[in-house]
Coordinates of all heavy atoms in Angstrom, one line a residue:
M299 N 12.4 18.5 -19.9 CA 12.1 17.9 -18.5 C 10.7 17.5 -18.6 O 9.8 18.3 -18.8 CB 12.5 18.9 -17.5 CG 12.3 18.4 -16.1 SD 12.6 19.6 -14.7 CE 14.3 19.9 -15.0
S300 N 10.3 16.3 -18.2 CA 9.0 15.8 -18.1 C 8.2 16.5 -16.8 O 8.9 17.0 -16.0 CB 9.0 14.3 -18.0 OG 9.4 13.9 -16.7
K301 N 7.0 16.3 -16.8 CA 6.2 16.8 -15.6 C 6.6 16.1 -14.4 O 6.8 16.7 -13.3 CB 4.7 16.6 -15.8 CG 4.1 17.6 -16.8 CD 2.5 17.3 -16.8 CE 1.8 18.2 -17.7 NZ 0.3 17.9 -17.6
R302 N 7.0 14.8 -14.5 CA 7.3 14.0 -13.3 C 8.7 14.6 -12.7 O 8.9 14.8 -11.5 CB 7.5 12.6 -13.6 CG 7.9 11.7 -12.5 CD 8.0 10.3 -12.9 NE 8.5 9.4 -11.9 CZ 9.8 9.1 -11.7 NH1 10.7 9.4 -12.7 NH2 10.3 8.3 -10.8
E303 N 9.6 14.8 -13.6 CA 11.0 15.3 -13.2 C 10.8 16.7 -12.6 O 11.4 17.0 -11.7 CB 11.9 15.4 -14.4 CG 12.5 14.0 -14.8 CD 13.2 14.0 -15.9 OE1 13.4 15.0 -16.6 OE2 13.7 12.9 -16.5
A304 N 9.9 17.7 -13.2 CA 9.8 18.9 -12.7 C 9.1 18.8 -11.3 O 9.5 19.6 -10.4 CB 8.9 19.7 -13.5
R305 N 8.2 17.9 -11.1 CA 7.6 17.8 -9.8 C 8.6 17.3 -8.7 O 8.7 17.9 -7.6 CB 6.3 16.8 -9.8 CG 5.6 16.7 -8.4 CD 4.5 15.7 -8.5 NE 5.0 14.3 -8.9 CZ 5.5 13.5 -8.1 NH1 5.7 13.9 -6.9 NH2 5.9 12.3 -8.4
L306 N 9.3 16.3 -9.1 CA 10.3 15.8 -8.1 C 11.4 16.9 -7.8 O 11.8 17.1 -6.6 CB 11.1 14.6 -8.8 CG 10.4 13.3 -8.8 CD1 11.2 12.3 -9.7 CD2 10.0 12.9 -7.5
Q307 N 11.8 17.7 -8.8 CA 12.8 18.8 -8.6 C 12.3 19.8 -7.6 O 12.9 20.3 -6.8 CB 13.1 19.4 -9.9 CG 14.1 20.5 -9.9 CD 15.6 19.8 -9.7 OE1 15.9 18.8 -10.2 NE2 16.4 20.5 -9.0
A308 N 10.9 20.0 -7.7 CA 10.3 21.1 -6.9 C 10.1 20.6 -5.5 O 10.2 21.3 -4.6 CB 9.0 21.5 -7.5
E309 N 9.8 19.3 -5.3 CA 9.5 18.7 -3.9 C 10.7 18.2 -3.3 O 10.6 17.9 -2.0 CB 8.5 17.6 -4.1 CG 7.2 18.0 -4.6 CD 6.1 17.1 -4.7 OE1 6.4 15.9 -4.3 OE2 5.1 17.3 -5.3
I310 N 11.9 17.9 -3.9 CA 13.0 17.2 -3.2 C 13.6 18.0 -2.1 O 13.9 17.5 -1.0 CB 13.9 16.6 -4.2 CG1 14.7 15.6 -3.4 CG2 14.8 17.7 -4.8 CD1 15.6 14.7 -4.4
Q311 N 13.8 19.3 -2.3 CA 14.5 20.1 -1.3 C 13.8 20.2 0.0 O 14.3 20.0 1.1 CB 15.1 21.5 -1.8 CG 16.2 21.4 -2.9 CD 17.3 20.5 -2.4 OE1 17.7 20.8 -1.3 NE2 17.9 19.8 -3.2
P312 N 12.4 20.6 0.0 CA 11.7 20.6 1.2 C 11.6 19.3 1.9 O 11.6 19.2 3.1 CB 10.2 21.1 0.9 CG 10.5 21.8 -0.5 CD 11.6 21.2 -1.2
F313 N 11.5 18.2 1.1 CA 11.4 16.8 1.7 C 12.7 16.5 2.4 O 12.7 16.0 3.5 CB 11.2 15.9 0.5 CG 11.3 14.5 1.0 CD1 10.3 13.8 1.7 CD2 12.6 13.7 0.8 CE1 10.3 12.4 2.1 CE2 12.6 12.5 1.4 CZ 11.6 11.8 2.0
L314 N 14.0 16.9 1.8 CA 15.2 16.6 2.4 C 15.3 17.3 3.8 O 15.9 16.8 4.7 CB 16.3 16.7 1.4 CG 16.4 15.9 0.3 CD1 17.5 16.3 -0.7 CD2 16.6 14.4 0.7
K315 N 14.9 18.5 3.7 CA 14.9 19.3 4.8 C 14.2 18.8 6.1 O 14.6 18.7 7.1 CB 14.5 20.7 4.7 CG 14.8 21.7 5.7 CD 14.5 23.2 5.2 CE 15.0 24.2 6.2 NZ 14.8 25.5 5.8
Q316 N 12.9 18.4 5.8 CA 12.1 17.7 6.7 C 12.6 16.4 7.2 O 12.7 16.0 8.3 CB 10.6 17.5 6.3 CG 10.0 18.8 6.0 CD 8.5 18.6 5.2 OE1 8.4 17.6 4.7 NE2 7.7 19.7 5.4
Y317 N 13.0 15.6 6.3 CA 13.6 14.2 6.5 C 14.8 14.2 7.4 O 14.9 13.3 8.2 CB 13.8 13.5 5.2 CG 14.1 12.1 5.3 CD1 13.2 11.2 5.4 CD2 15.3 11.6 5.1 CE1 13.5 9.8 5.5 CE2 15.8 10.2 5.1 CZ 14.8 9.3 5.3 OH 15.1 8.1 5.4
G318 N 15.7 15.2 7.1 CA 17.0 15.2 7.8 C 17.1 15.9 9.1 O 18.1 15.9 9.7
R319 N 16.0 16.6 9.4 CA 16.0 17.4 10.6 C 16.2 16.5 11.9 O 15.7 15.4 12.0 CB 14.9 18.5 10.8 CG 13.7 17.9 11.3 CD 12.6 18.8 11.6 NE 11.6 18.4 12.1 CZ 11.4 17.9 13.5 NH1 12.4 18.1 14.2 NH2 10.3 17.4 13.9
V320 N 16.7 17.0 13.0 CA 17.0 16.3 14.2 C 15.7 16.5 15.0 O 15.0 17.6 15.1 CB 18.1 17.0 15.0 CG1 18.3 16.2 16.4 CG2 19.4 16.9 14.3
S321 N 15.2 15.4 15.6 CA 13.9 15.4 16.4 C 14.3 16.2 17.8 O 15.4 16.4 18.1 CB 13.4 14.2 16.8 OG 14.3 13.5 17.7
R322 N 13.3 16.8 18.3 CA 13.5 17.5 19.5 C 13.2 16.8 20.9 O 12.3 17.2 21.5 CB 12.7 18.9 19.6 CG 12.9 19.7 18.3 CD 14.3 20.1 18.2 NE 14.3 21.5 18.2 CZ 15.2 22.4 18.7 NH1 16.2 22.0 19.3 NH2 15.0 23.6 18.6
R323 N 13.8 15.8 21.0 CA 13.7 14.9 22.3 C 13.7 15.6 23.6 O 13.0 15.5 24.6 CB 14.5 13.7 22.2 CG 14.3 12.7 23.3 CD 15.1 11.6 23.3 NE 14.7 10.7 22.2 CZ 14.8 9.4 22.3 NH1 15.5 8.7 23.2 NH2 14.4 8.7 21.3
C324 N 14.7 16.5 23.7 CA 15.0 17.3 24.9 C 13.8 18.2 25.4 O 13.8 18.5 26.6 CB 16.4 18.0 24.8 SG 16.3 19.3 23.6
Y325 N 13.0 18.5 24.4 CA 11.8 19.5 24.7 C 10.6 18.7 24.9 O 9.4 19.2 24.8 CB 11.7 20.5 23.5 CG 12.9 21.3 23.5 CD1 13.6 21.4 22.4 CD2 13.1 22.3 24.6 CE1 14.7 22.2 22.2 CE2 14.3 23.0 24.5 CZ 15.0 23.1 23.3 OH 16.3 23.9 23.2
G326 N 10.7 17.3 25.2 CA 9.4 16.5 25.3 C 8.8 16.0 24.1 O 7.8 15.4 24.1
G327 N 9.5 16.4 22.9 CA 9.0 15.8 21.6 C 9.1 14.4 21.4 O 10.0 13.8 22.0
D328 N 8.3 13.8 20.7 CA 8.4 12.5 20.3 C 9.6 12.3 19.4 O 9.7 13.1 18.5 CB 7.1 11.9 19.7 CG 7.2 10.5 19.2 OD1 8.0 9.8 19.7 OD2 6.2 10.1 18.5
P329 N 10.5 11.3 19.5 CA 11.6 11.1 18.6 C 11.1 10.8 17.2 O 11.9 10.9 16.2 CB 12.4 10.0 19.2 CG 11.5 9.3 20.1 CD 10.5 10.3 20.5
N330 N 9.9 10.4 17.0 CA 9.4 10.1 15.6 C 8.5 11.2 15.2 O 7.4 10.9 14.6 CB 8.5 8.8 15.7 CG 9.2 7.6 15.0 OD1 10.3 8.0 14.3 ND2 8.8 6.5 15.3
D331 N 8.7 12.4 15.6 CA 7.8 13.6 15.3 C 8.1 14.3 13.9 O 7.6 15.4 13.6 CB 7.9 14.6 16.3 CG 9.3 15.3 16.5 OD1 10.2 14.9 15.8 OD2 9.3 16.4 17.3
R332 N 8.9 13.5 13.1 CA 9.2 14.1 11.8 C 8.0 13.9 10.8 O 7.6 12.8 10.6 CB 10.4 13.5 11.2 CG 11.8 13.8 12.0 CD 12.8 12.9 11.4 NE 14.0 13.0 12.3 CZ 14.3 12.3 13.3 NH1 13.4 11.4 13.7 NH2 15.4 12.5 14.0
H333 N 7.6 15.0 10.3 CA 6.3 14.8 9.4 C 6.8 15.1 8.1 O 7.1 16.2 7.7 CB 5.3 15.8 9.8 CG 4.7 15.6 11.2 ND1 4.0 14.7 11.5 CD2 5.0 16.3 12.3 CE1 3.7 14.6 12.8 NE2 4.4 15.7 13.4
Y334 N 6.8 14.1 7.1 CA 7.1 14.2 5.8 C 6.3 13.2 5.0 O 5.6 12.3 5.6 CB 8.7 13.9 5.4 CG 9.1 12.7 5.9 CD1 9.1 11.6 5.1 CD2 9.6 12.5 7.2 CE1 9.6 10.4 5.6 CE2 10.2 11.3 7.7 CZ 10.2 10.2 6.8 OH 10.6 9.1 7.3
D335 N 6.2 13.4 3.7 CA 5.4 12.6 2.8 C 6.0 11.2 2.6 O 6.9 11.1 2.0 CB 5.3 13.3 1.5 CG 4.2 12.7 0.5 OD1 3.6 11.7 1.0 OD2 4.0 13.3 -0.6
R336 N 5.3 10.3 3.2 CA 5.8 8.8 3.0 C 5.7 8.3 1.7 O 6.5 7.4 1.2 CB 5.1 7.9 4.0 CG 5.0 8.4 5.5 CD 6.4 8.2 6.0 NE 6.3 8.7 7.5 CZ 7.2 8.6 8.3 NH1 8.2 7.9 8.0 NH2 7.0 9.0 9.5
A337 N 4.8 8.7 0.9 CA 4.6 8.3 -0.5 C 5.9 8.9 -1.3 O 6.2 8.2 -2.3 CB 3.3 8.7 -1.0
F338 N 6.2 10.1 -1.2 CA 7.3 10.8 -1.8 C 8.6 10.0 -1.5 O 9.3 9.8 -2.3 CB 7.4 12.3 -1.6 CG 8.3 13.0 -2.3 CD1 8.1 13.1 -3.8 CD2 9.4 13.6 -1.9 CE1 8.9 13.9 -4.5 CE2 10.4 14.1 -2.6 CZ 10.1 14.3 -3.9
E339 N 8.7 9.6 -0.2 CA 9.9 8.8 0.3 C 9.8 7.5 -0.6 O 11.0 7.2 -1.1 CB 9.7 8.6 1.7 CG 10.9 7.6 2.3 CD 10.6 7.3 3.6 OE1 9.5 7.2 4.2 OE2 11.7 6.9 4.3
A340 N 8.9 6.9 -0.7 CA 8.8 5.6 -1.3 C 9.3 5.9 -2.9 O 9.9 4.9 -3.5 CB 7.4 4.9 -1.3
E341 N 8.8 6.9 -3.4 CA 9.1 7.3 -4.9 C 10.5 7.5 -5.0 O 11.2 7.1 -5.9 CB 8.2 8.4 -5.3 CG 8.3 8.8 -6.8 CD 7.4 9.8 -7.3 OE1 6.6 10.3 -6.4 OE2 7.6 10.3 -8.4
L342 N 11.2 8.2 -4.1 CA 12.5 8.5 -4.2 C 13.3 7.3 -3.9 O 14.4 7.2 -4.6 CB 13.0 9.4 -3.0 CG 12.5 10.9 -3.2 CD1 12.9 11.8 -2.0 CD2 13.0 11.5 -4.5
K343 N 13.0 6.3 -3.3 CA 13.6 5.0 -3.0 C 13.6 4.3 -4.3 O 14.5 3.4 -4.5 CB 13.0 4.3 -1.9 CG 13.5 4.9 -0.6 CD 12.8 4.0 0.6 CE 13.2 4.5 2.0 NZ 12.5 3.7 3.0
R344 N 12.6 4.4 -5.2 CA 12.6 3.6 -6.4 C 13.4 4.3 -7.6 O 13.6 3.6 -8.5 CB 11.1 3.6 -6.8 CG 10.3 2.6 -6.1 CD 9.0 2.3 -6.7 NE 8.1 3.7 -6.9 CZ 7.3 4.0 -6.2 NH1 7.1 3.5 -4.9 NH2 6.5 5.2 -6.5
L345 N 13.9 5.5 -7.2 CA 14.6 6.2 -8.4 C 16.1 5.6 -8.5 O 16.7 5.1 -7.7 CB 14.9 7.6 -7.9 CG 13.7 8.6 -8.1 CD1 14.2 10.0 -7.6 CD2 13.3 8.8 -9.5
D346 N 16.6 5.8 -9.7 CA 17.9 5.4 -10.0 C 18.9 6.2 -9.2 O 18.7 7.4 -9.0 CB 18.2 5.6 -11.5 CG 19.7 5.2 -11.8 OD1 20.1 4.2 -11.6 OD2 20.3 6.3 -12.4
P347 N 19.9 5.7 -8.5 CA 20.9 6.5 -7.7 C 21.3 7.6 -8.4 O 21.6 8.9 -7.8 CB 21.9 5.6 -7.2 CG 21.3 4.2 -7.5 CD 20.3 4.3 -8.5
R348 N 21.7 7.5 -9.7 CA 22.3 8.8 -10.3 C 21.2 9.8 -10.6 O 21.5 11.1 -10.5 CB 22.8 8.4 -11.6 CG 24.1 7.5 -11.7 CD 24.5 7.0 -12.8 NE 23.5 5.9 -13.2 CZ 23.7 5.0 -14.2 NH1 24.7 5.0 -14.9 NH2 22.8 4.1 -14.2
E349 N 20.0 9.6 -10.8 CA 18.9 10.4 -10.9 C 18.6 11.1 -9.6 O 18.4 12.3 -9.6 CB 17.6 9.8 -11.5 CG 16.5 10.9 -11.7 CD 15.4 10.1 -12.3 OE1 15.2 9.0 -12.7 OE2 14.2 11.0 -12.5
L350 N 18.6 10.4 -8.5 CA 18.4 11.0 -7.2 C 19.5 11.9 -6.8 O 19.3 13.1 -6.4 CB 18.4 9.9 -6.2 CG 18.3 10.4 -4.7 CD1 16.9 11.2 -4.5 CD2 18.3 9.2 -3.9
D351 N 20.8 11.5 -7.1 CA 21.9 12.5 -7.0 C 21.8 13.8 -7.7 O 22.0 14.9 -7.3 CB 23.2 11.8 -7.2 CG 24.4 12.7 -7.0 OD1 24.6 13.1 -5.9 OD2 25.2 12.9 -8.1
R352 N 21.4 13.6 -9.0 CA 21.1 14.8 -9.9 C 20.0 15.8 -9.3 O 20.3 16.9 -9.4 CB 20.7 14.3 -11.2 CG 20.7 15.4 -12.3 CD 20.3 14.9 -13.7 NE 19.0 14.2 -13.7 CZ 17.8 14.7 -13.7 NH1 17.6 15.9 -13.7 NH2 16.8 13.9 -13.7
L353 N 19.0 15.1 -8.7 CA 17.9 15.9 -8.3 C 18.3 16.7 -7.0 O 18.1 17.8 -6.8 CB 16.6 15.1 -7.9 CG 15.8 14.7 -9.1 CD1 14.9 13.5 -8.7 CD2 15.2 15.9 -9.9
M354 N 19.1 15.9 -6.2 CA 19.5 16.4 -4.9 C 20.6 17.6 -5.1 O 20.5 18.5 -4.3 CB 20.2 15.4 -4.0 CG 19.1 14.5 -3.4 SD 19.9 13.0 -2.5 CE 20.9 13.8 -1.3
N355 N 21.4 17.5 -6.1 CA 22.3 18.5 -6.2 C 21.9 19.7 -7.3 O 22.7 20.5 -7.4 CB 23.7 17.8 -6.8 CG 24.3 17.0 -5.8 OD1 24.2 17.3 -4.6 ND2 24.8 15.8 -6.2
G356 N 20.8 19.5 -7.8 CA 20.3 20.4 -8.7 C 20.9 20.6 -10.1 O 20.8 21.7 -10.7
T357 N 21.6 19.4 -10.4 CA 22.3 19.6 -11.8 C 21.3 19.0 -12.8 O 20.5 18.2 -12.6 CB 23.6 18.7 -11.8 OG1 23.2 17.4 -11.4 CG2 24.6 19.3 -10.8
D358 N 21.6 19.5 -14.1 CA 20.8 18.9 -15.1 C 21.4 17.7 -15.7 O 22.4 17.2 -15.2 CB 20.5 20.0 -16.2 CG 21.8 20.5 -16.9 OD1 22.9 20.1 -16.6 OD2 21.8 21.4 -17.7
E359 N 20.9 17.1 -16.8 CA 21.5 15.9 -17.3 C 22.7 16.0 -17.9 O 23.5 15.1 -18.0 CB 20.4 15.4 -18.4 CG 19.1 15.0 -17.8 CD 18.1 14.6 -18.9 OE1 18.5 14.6 -20.1 OE2 16.9 14.2 -18.6
D360 N 23.2 17.2 -18.3 CA 24.6 17.4 -18.7 C 25.7 17.6 -17.7 O 26.8 17.7 -18.0 CB 24.7 18.8 -19.7 CG 23.7 18.5 -21.0 OD1 23.4 17.5 -21.4 OD2 23.3 19.6 -21.4
G361 N 25.2 17.6 -16.4 CA 26.1 17.8 -15.3 C 26.4 19.3 -15.1 O 27.3 19.6 -14.3
R362 N 25.6 20.2 -15.5 CA 25.8 21.6 -15.2 C 25.0 22.1 -14.1 O 23.8 21.7 -13.8 CB 25.6 22.4 -16.4 CG 26.5 22.2 -17.5 CD 26.2 23.0 -18.7 NE 26.5 22.3 -19.9 CZ 26.1 22.6 -21.1 NH1 25.3 23.6 -21.2 NH2 26.4 21.8 -22.1

């Protein structure tokens, strides 16, 4: 596993948790109050869909 893949693997789960959470509009919060790394989002958008799926599900290249 390259350094890039290891970094992506370490950062993707916290990113997905922040990215997918529901905003708290009912408590006076801004509907756009989600704070996540926009640069990391752009990097994920450039990934091959199969590689992104592999990272999100935590499987290795062999499918295990």
Side-chain angles (χ1 to χ4, degrees):
M299 182 181 299
S300 70
K301 283 185 177 183
R302 178 178 176 266
E303 289 176 355
R305 182 183 59 81
L306 287 172
Q307 186 73 33
E309 292 180 6
I310 196 163
Q311 291 304 320
F313 172 82
L314 291 174
K315 191 172 189 177
Q316 291 171 344
Y317 188 79
R319 79 169 186 78
V320 177
S321 69
R322 305 295 239 153
R323 182 179 287 209
C324 63
Y325 297 112
D328 180 15
N330 253 347
D331 66 348
R332 295 172 186 88
H333 300 288
Y334 57 88
D335 188 0
R336 305 291 179 173
F338 189 68
E339 176 188 28
E341 187 173 352
L342 289 179
K343 286 182 178 181
R344 289 190 303 264
L345 284 177
D346 177 60
R348 288 174 287 194
E349 184 177 354
L350 179 60
D351 183 57
R352 184 179 57 79
L353 288 170
M354 288 173 55
N355 294 320
T357 57
D358 61 8
E359 293 176 3
D360 297 334
R362 297 182 211 161

